[in-house]
C-alpha cells in the first residue's frame, strides 16, 4: 500500500501540478486524479503534455471518482459510453481504481427494489471498467443527516454493504474502506478485519473522530488520522498489508478541522500523521510489513 494525497479530501483547491508538488514535498507516493480536469487538459494540450508532470514525478495514481451519475434510472447507457472514454484515459496514466458512494436513501425505490437495482448496476459498471483494467471501490454513507427527508432508506452500514457487494457479479468490484464511516455506523475495525474477504478492499480512507456517540457524528468533524485516538487504525493497516493490499491510503479530515490551516502546513501535518500510523502498523516505506517489525 502507499501514502496517497487527495487535495480535495483536504479541502484544497489545487491544480494537478500543485498537488504533485505537495505530494513530493511531504512524502506521499500517490495522488488522486481529477479525471474531468485531466480530460479537459488532454483535449486542450494533448495527452503527452497533459501527463508530462505526472510521468516525471513518478507518482502513482491512487484513485478517481466515478464520473457518471449511475444511480439514476435514465441515461445509463449514454453514461457508460462516456465512462468508457474517461476510463481508458485514466488507465493510460496508470490509474487502477475508481471509487463511488452508494446513496443511503432515495425517493424512488423501496429497499428491496433498490437492492436489486444497485446490484445490477454495479455488475454492469464492473464489466465496463474491467475492459480497462480498473477496479471499482464502493463506499457507504453512515451519517444520519444524509438520510433525512427521504422516503426510503438504503445501505448505510458495513454489514449491508458487504451483503450488497456479495450479489455483484463482477470480481473487480469491492469495498472503498472509509474507516470513519465504519466507526460512524457502529461497527468496529476488528469486524472489518474478520469479515472482509481477501482482496476485496479497493481503496482506503483514514480519519480519526471526535469523542461522542458515533450515530450522531457529523462528517465535517472528521479529524486527521491518529489525532484523537478514537479510531485506532494501525492494526487494520497491518492486517491489510498481511493480506496483500497494495492500494492507496488517503488521509481525510473534515472541513471544520482544516479551514484555518495553510496549504503546506496541512499537507505536512497529514503526512506526519500518516507516517506515525505507518510506523505503529510496522510498515516499511513500500507499505509492506517491515522485516524489523516487532523486534
Amino acid at each position: 500500500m502507499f501514502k496517497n494525497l487527495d487535495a480535495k479530501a483536504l479541502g484544497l483547491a489545487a491544480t494537478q501540478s500543485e498537488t504533485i508538488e505537495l505530494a513530493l514535498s511531504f512524502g506521499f507516493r500517490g495522488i488522486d486524479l481529477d479525471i474531468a480536469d485531466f480530460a479537459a487538459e488532454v483535449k486542450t494540450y494533448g495527452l503527452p503534455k497533459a501527463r508530462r508532470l505526472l510521468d516525471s514525478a513518478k507518482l502513482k495514481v491512487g484513485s478517481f471518482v466515478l464520473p457518471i451519475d449511475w444511480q439514476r434510472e435514465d441515461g445509463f447507457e449514454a453514461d457508460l459510453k462516456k465512462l468508457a472514454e474517461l476510463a481508458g484515459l485514466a488507465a493510460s496514466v496508470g490509474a487502477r481504481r475508481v471509487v463511488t458512494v452508494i446513496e443511503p436513501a432515495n425517493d424512488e425505490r423501496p429497499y428491496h427494489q433498490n437492492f436489486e437495482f444497485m446490484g445490477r448496476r454495479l455488475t454492469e459498471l464492473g464489466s465496463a471498467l474491467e475492459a480497462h483494467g480498473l477496479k471499482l471501490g464502493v463506499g457507504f454513507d453512515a451519517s444520519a443527516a444524509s438520510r433525512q427527508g427521504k422516503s426510503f432508506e438504503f445501505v448505510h452500514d458495513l454489514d449491508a454493504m458487504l451483503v450488497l457487494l456479495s450479489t455483484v457479479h463482477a470480481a473487480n468490484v469491492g469495498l472503498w474502506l472509509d474507516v470513519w464511516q465504519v466507526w460512524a455506523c457502529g461497527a468496529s475495525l476488528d469486524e472489518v478485519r474478520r469479515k472482509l474477504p481477501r482482496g476485496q478492499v479497493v481503496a482506503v480512507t483514514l480519519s480519526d473522530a471526535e469523542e461522542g456517540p458515533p450515530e450522531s457524528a457529523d462528517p465535517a468533524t472528521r479529524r486527521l488520522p491518529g489525532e484523537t485516538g478514537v479510531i485506532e487504525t494501525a492494526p487494520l493497516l497491518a492486517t491489510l498489508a498481511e493480506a496483500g493490499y497494495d492500494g492507496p491510503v488517503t488521509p481525510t479530515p473534515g472541513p471544520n478541522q482544516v479551514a484555518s490551516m495553510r496549504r503546506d502546513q496541512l499537507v505536512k501535518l497529514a503526512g506526519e500523521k500518516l507516517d506515525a500510523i505507518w510506523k505503529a502498523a510496522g510498515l516499511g516505506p513500500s507499505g509492506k510489513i517491515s522485516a524489523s517489525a516487532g523486534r
Side-chain angles (χ1 to χ4, degrees):
M1 70 186 80
F2 57 93
K3 301 168 191 172
N4 185 65
L5 176 63
D6 178 357
K8 287 186 177 180
L10 293 179
L12 302 178
T15 65
Q16 178 179 278
S17 61
E18 290 169 337
T19 302
I20 288 172
E21 182 180 354
L22 289 166
L24 293 174
S25 297
F26 299 110
F28 291 88
R29 298 184 64 198
I31 62 169
D32 277 358
L33 185 69
D34 186 322
I35 189 60
D37 284 355
F38 184 68
E41 287 191 19
V42 170
K43 186 175 181 179
T44 302
Y45 304 110
L47 181 58
K49 186 172 182 179
R51 64 180 294 169
R52 176 174 52 83
L53 286 176
L54 194 59
D55 289 342
S56 62
K58 298 187 178 353
L59 290 169
K60 298 181 179 182
V61 175
S63 67
F64 65 95
V65 175
L66 191 67
I68 61 172
D69 184 8
W70 62 276
Q71 297 178 71
R72 61 190 174 97
E73 292 281 355
D74 302 325
F76 185 60
E77 294 303 320
D79 281 345
L80 278 183
K81 293 179 181 179
K82 172 186 174 183
L83 177 62
E85 179 181 349
L86 293 176
L89 189 60
S92 73
V93 291
R96 296 292 177 265
R97 297 168 178 83
V98 194
V99 293
T100 191
V101 175
I102 288 281
E103 293 175 356
N106 72 92
D107 290 320
E108 293 78 34
R109 297 179 293 270
Y111 193 100
H112 292 295
Q113 181 183 340
N114 202 30
F115 195 91
E116 294 176 359
F117 174 85
M118 293 297 183
R120 289 195 305 272
R121 281 286 168 91
L122 289 171
T123 297
E124 292 179 83
L125 286 170
S127 298
L129 293 169
E130 187 177 24
H132 302 281
L134 292 164
K135 296 180 179 181
L136 176 62
V138 188
F140 61 89
D141 182 349
S143 60
S146 63
R147 304 191 297 277
Q148 292 178 354
K150 298 292 186 179
S151 301
F152 307 109
E153 290 196 357
F154 193 53
V155 168
H156 57 272
D157 62 34
L158 177 65
D159 284 341
M161 184 78 254
L162 294 180
V163 173
L164 176 61
L165 289 175
S166 73
T167 70
V168 177
H169 302 295
N172 62 325
V173 178
L175 180 67
W176 178 9
L177 177 57
D178 184 332
V179 299
W180 190 92
Q181 299 291 355
V182 171
W183 170 82
C185 79
S188 70
L189 296 189
D190 281 341
E191 288 182 68
V192 177
R193 296 164 69 191
R194 292 197 309 270
K195 294 177 179 179
L196 278 183
R198 186 181 181 94
Q200 191 166 15
V201 177
V202 174
V204 175
T205 293
L206 290 192
S207 305
D208 212 334
E210 294 186 336
E211 295 283 354
E215 62 272 13
S216 61
D218 182 348
T221 65
R222 286 175 182 250
R223 308 296 286 267
L224 283 167
E227 191 172 352
T228 63
V230 171
I231 303 176
E232 188 179 2
T233 51
L236 175 64
L237 287 193
T239 297
L240 289 171
E242 290 166 356
Y245 174 68
D246 62 356
V249 178
T250 308
T252 302
N256 289 3
Q257 310 306 317
V258 300
S260 63
M261 298 182 71
R262 295 194 321 269
R263 174 184 293 181
D264 58 341
Q265 179 186 27
L266 174 56
V267 178
K268 181 176 184 290
L269 181 59
E272 290 172 348
K273 293 295 185 183
L274 208 50
D275 285 343
I277 294 173
W278 227 251
K279 184 177 180 180
L283 304 180
S286 66
K288 299 180 180 179
I289 297 293
S290 172
S292 61
R295 293 181 183 176

